[in-house]
Amino acid sequence: MSARESKEFSTEIVKREIENNSGDANNGDDGSVSFSIRVRPKLPDFLSSVNMKYVKLGYGYLIAHPSYFFFFLLVPLLVSLLAFMASRHNNQFFTWEYFTHDVLLFVLPLLFFLYFYPDILNSRSTYLLDFACFLPPNHFKISKAEFIELARRSGNFNKEAIDFQERALKKSGIGDETYMPRSVFRPEFRASLNEGREEASMVMFGAIKDVLESTKVKPNDIRILVVNCGILNTTPSLSSLIINHFKLRHDIHSFNLGGMGCSAGIIAVDLARDLLDAYPGSYALVVSTESVTYSWYGGNDINMLLPNCFFRMGASAVMLSNFRRHRWRAKYQLKQLVRTHKGMENKSFKSIHMREDSEGRRGLSISKDAIEVGGHALKANMTTLGPLVLPVSEQVHFFTNLMFKKKKAKPYIPDYKLAFEHVCVTATSKKVVDEIQNNLGLTEEYMEASRKTLERFGNTSSSSVWYELAHLEANLKVKKGDRVCQIGYGSGFKCNSVVWKALRTPAKPTKSPWIEDS
C-alpha cells in the first residue's frame, strides 16, 4: 500500500469519520458498495494511478472481438487507400473520370464491407426492446420519521440501534416516499419464506406484466428466462414461480441467480446475451429484484443494521432479442459489457457476507474494508472498459502521455464524459454517489438519475440501474445515438458495467415508475 493510501485508511481517520459520518452508509445486503461505521466513508482516489494490467485486459477484449478487430484493421486500410488515390491525382492529371473510377474500384466495396461487417462475420447484436420497473402501491410508502417510529414501537431494537438507524437515514440521501412492507416492524419479526415469496411475486409479476404489454411479446415466445435475487432463494426457484404464473413454454431455458448482489442485474444481461448467441432469433426476459421482507435484520448488531436503512422494494423486467429485424423497433443496442471480480483477494471476498449475530438473527455484515475494495474494483473495471468506449483521440493522448511522461508525473486520465452521455450507478448512499462523481470527474447532470432514484426509491438492489434509466426516459434525456453506461457493485467483490446505445429517441413513456398516475 502506498503512503497516500496508508494515510487515507489510517486508524485515526477511520475513528474520526465514525464519530462524524456514521450515518453515511449504503445498503450492502446484496453486495453493493456499503459503509461500516468503522470505515471512513471516502472512496480511494482510483484515478490517481493507472494499472496497466487492466489497460491490457481492455485491449485484449478489443482484439478478441472479431467485429472490433476488423473495424480497427480496415479503418487504417481505408485511410491508406485514400492517400494512394490522392497521390495518383495531382492538379495536372486530375480528371473526374479517373477519380470516379477509383472510388468505385476501391472505396465503395470497403464502405459496403464496413457497413455490413457484423453480418459478414456472423455476429448478432443484442437488442433491448423495452424494460419496465415496478411501482408499488401507495400504502407501502414510508417516510424516514415513520420508519424510526415503527422500529421503536416494534421493540426489536435497543436505543443504540434506533439512534444508529436514525443517523444513517438522516444522511443517506433517501427521501420520504420510498416503499417497504410494514410487516417487518412486527414485534419479534422473523423472516419467512411465505412472506418473501409474496413480496417477490408482487414486484416481479408487476414488472413482467408491464414489459409484456409494451413489447407485445407473447409469453409462449420467450425462449430464455434469467432471474436474479440476492437473498431470497426458494424451492421451486423464483424462475419457476414466473414460469408457472405466466405459463411460459415447456422447453424454456431458465436460470436463477442468487447471492450475487446489486451487480447481478448486469450479470444476468451478460448470461442472457450468451444464451441469445447460442439460440439465435430468440427472446430473452431478464428479471431483477430483491426481497426486503426476507433480508430484514431485527437485531442490535450495528454492523448488520445498514441494509435495513437503505434497502427498499422494487423489481425490473428487461426484454432482449437478437432478431436482426428488431433493430428498427428496439430502444437500445448492447455495445460493451465488462465484468470485474476481485474475489481472489481475501479482503474483497470477506468484505460483505451473510451471518448470524450472537442471538441467532440472520443479517448481512459489512466489514471495514468494504468501501476500499469497492473503490479498487471500480478502478479495475473502468480501466478495462476504457479502450472499448473511449474515442481514438483520447486513447492516443493517453498512450502518448504514458510513453513520454516524466517519472514522477501522474498519468493522463481519459475523460470518460467523452465515452458516454449518461451514467447510471447503483443508487447507494449520498456519500458514495458524491465520491464516485468526484473520482470519475462527472458533472452533476451525469449523477442526476442516481441521486433522484436514491431519493425516490432507495436502494432497490440489482434493479436500481433500471429505475435510473427510466428516470432519464421519463425526463426525455435520452436521444438517438446516446450511450448509457450502467455500473453495479456486488458482494464477492464485483464491479460490472454495461454500455447501451440508443437506436432511437424514446418517446415520453405512458407507464413509468416516475409517473404515479400511469
Side-chain angles (χ1 to χ4, degrees):
M1 180 179 288
S2 67
R4 179 176 181 177
E5 288 174 330
S6 178
K7 179 180 178 180
E8 284 188 336
F9 292 97
S10 68
T11 304
E12 178 183 352
I13 292 178
V14 168
K15 182 177 181 181
R16 184 174 68 249
E17 292 297 326
I18 289 169
E19 296 169 353
N20 296 333
N21 295 295
S22 60
D24 282 328
N26 157 30
N27 168 11
D29 169 60
D30 49 0
S32 63
V33 177
S34 307
F35 294 113
S36 167
I37 60 167
R38 294 194 299 269
V39 178
R40 186 180 68 84
K42 182 176 177 62
L43 284 174
D45 186 9
F46 52 84
L47 288 185
S48 63
S49 63
V50 175
N51 191 324
M52 288 303 298
K53 175 175 67 174
Y54 299 113
V55 175
K56 293 177 182 178
L57 183 59
Y59 281 102
Y61 288 158
L62 194 67
I63 296 173
H65 196 291
S67 60
Y68 291 137
F69 178 76
F70 275 93
F71 178 79
F72 283 95
L73 179 68
L74 288 172
V75 167
L77 179 60
L78 178 60
V79 173
S80 300
L81 284 172
L82 290 173
F84 172 72
M85 289 169 54
S87 66
R88 292 185 57 193
H89 300 294
N90 54 40
N91 293 332
Q92 182 178 1
F93 299 104
F94 176 81
T95 65
W96 180 253
E97 180 181 354
Y98 287 154
F99 182 77
T100 304
H101 175 268
D102 282 346
V103 168
L104 294 176
L105 184 64
F106 295 105
V107 179
L108 290 184
L110 280 173
L111 292 176
F112 180 86
F113 184 84
L114 286 171
Y115 183 80
F116 290 103
Y117 76 92
D119 293 326
I120 294 174
L121 295 172
N122 196 29
S123 174
R124 285 182 177 267
S125 297
T126 300
Y127 301 111
L128 192 161
L129 302 185
D130 207 351
F131 67 96
C133 299
F134 181 70
L135 179 65
N138 282 334
H139 65 265
F140 285 104
K141 279 187 180 181
I142 188 168
S143 68
K144 291 178 286 188
E146 186 180 8
F147 179 103
I148 295 301
E149 180 60 26
L150 291 174
R152 183 179 290 111
R153 288 162 51 185
S154 71
N156 296 327
F157 308 101
N158 59 28
K159 185 179 185 303
E160 182 184 3
I162 293 294
D163 291 344
F164 174 81
Q165 292 177 89
E166 188 170 17
R167 293 195 305 272
L169 285 170
K170 183 178 180 180
K171 299 181 180 181
S172 65
I174 292 178
D176 288 325
E177 292 191 327
T178 58
Y179 302 89
M180 66 180 302
R182 286 169 173 74
S183 60
V184 297
F185 296 106
R186 295 197 312 262
E188 300 298 325
F189 171 81
R190 294 277 181 163
S192 69
L193 282 174
N194 283 339
E195 289 180 307
R197 283 195 190 97
E198 288 177 4
E199 180 191 340
S201 298
M202 176 179 63
V203 297
M204 290 192 306
F205 295 168
I208 295 171
K209 179 176 176 291
D210 288 345
V211 81
L212 290 177
E213 289 179 356
S214 65
T215 59
K216 309 301 181 186
V217 174
K218 298 178 181 178
N220 195 53
D221 291 335
I222 299 172
R223 192 172 185 181
I224 298 163
L225 172 65
V226 183
V227 180
N228 68 86
C229 183
I231 304 299
L232 177 64
N233 289 285
T234 65
T235 302
S237 65
L238 296 180
S239 59
S240 295
L241 191 66
I242 292 172
I243 292 170
N244 176 263
H245 182 81
F246 289 95
K247 309 304 177 188
L248 303 185
R249 55 197 293 169
H250 67 88
D251 60 343
I252 191 169
H253 300 274
S254 66
F255 297 84
N256 204 94
L257 307 179
M260 306 195 78
C262 286
S263 64
I266 297 176
I267 296 173
V269 169
D270 188 25
L271 176 58
R273 178 186 62 174
D274 291 344
L275 290 167
L276 286 171
D277 287 341
Y279 301 96
S282 303
Y283 291 106
L285 177 62
V286 176
V287 183
S288 301
T289 190
E290 190 54 83
S291 173
V292 177
T293 305
Y294 201 69
S295 61
W296 181 262
Y297 172 66
N300 295 300
D301 189 322
I302 299 298
N303 292 333
M304 300 165 69
L305 285 170
L306 292 175
N308 291 0
C309 302
F310 289 82
F311 214 31
R312 296 295 186 268
M313 296 171 65
S316 64
V318 181
M319 188 67 72
L320 303 175
S321 167
N322 64 354
F323 283 98
R324 289 193 177 99
R325 65 178 183 270
H326 282 170
R327 178 182 178 86
W328 311 111
R329 60 173 288 207
K331 281 187 174 182
Y332 303 93
Q333 179 182 1
L334 196 159
K335 300 302 292 183
Q336 290 88 20
L337 195 153
V338 174
R339 293 171 58 180
T340 301
H341 204 305
K342 307 287 284 185
M344 75 292 293
E345 302 168 0
N346 286 334
K347 183 184 291 187
S348 297
F349 177 74
K350 297 176 180 179
S351 60
I352 300 173
H353 66 281
M354 183 72 71
R355 67 176 178 85
E356 294 178 343
D357 65 11
S358 58
E359 298 178 352
R361 293 181 178 270
R362 177 177 50 82
L364 203 68
S365 179
I366 314 298
S367 80
K368 62 183 179 63
D369 300 315
I371 188 63
E372 178 185 3
V373 301
H376 290 307
L378 178 61
K379 171 185 174 180
N381 187 270
M382 296 304 293
T383 306
T384 304
L385 180 65
L388 304 177
V389 297
L390 288 167
V392 175
S393 59
E394 276 295 290
Q395 298 191 44
V396 171
H397 194 176
F398 167 74
F399 275 105
T400 302
N401 180 272
L402 193 66
M403 295 290 291
F404 300 105
K405 74 179 181 70
K406 297 179 180 179
K407 290 184 178 181
K408 294 184 179 180
K410 290 184 179 180
Y412 172 72
I413 302 303
D415 185 358
Y416 282 94
K417 295 190 294 295
L418 300 176
F420 13 77
E421 287 69 36
H422 309 283
V423 175
C424 300
V425 181
T426 301
T428 55
S429 75
K430 177 181 181 299
K431 190 67 175 181
V432 171
V433 174
D434 289 343
E435 291 297 330
I436 291 176
Q437 177 182 356
N438 294 335
N439 280 277
L440 284 179
L442 300 175
T443 64
E444 190 61 36
E445 184 178 4
Y446 274 87
M447 306 308 296
E448 179 183 336
S450 297
R451 294 188 191 280
K452 293 294 185 180
T453 299
L454 176 64
E455 178 184 0
R456 179 64 180 82
F457 295 99
N459 187 348
T460 60
S461 186
S462 54
S463 63
S464 176
V465 292
W466 296 106
Y467 283 86
E468 294 170 27
L469 184 54
H471 176 272
L472 294 173
E473 289 192 357
N475 290 276
L476 302 178
K477 299 282 189 179
V478 182
K479 309 298 181 184
K480 181 179 179 180
D482 283 0
R483 294 152 298 177
V484 182
C485 180
Q486 295 175 316
I487 304 172
Y489 300 94
S491 56
F493 194 93
K494 301 179 289 292
C495 179
N496 303 313
S497 58
V498 59
V499 178
W500 304 92
K501 180 180 179 180
L503 299 178
R504 55 185 171 89
T505 300
K508 191 174 182 65
T510 57
K511 197 175 188 65
S512 167
W514 297 94
I515 306 174
E516 289 202 45
D517 58 355
S518 64

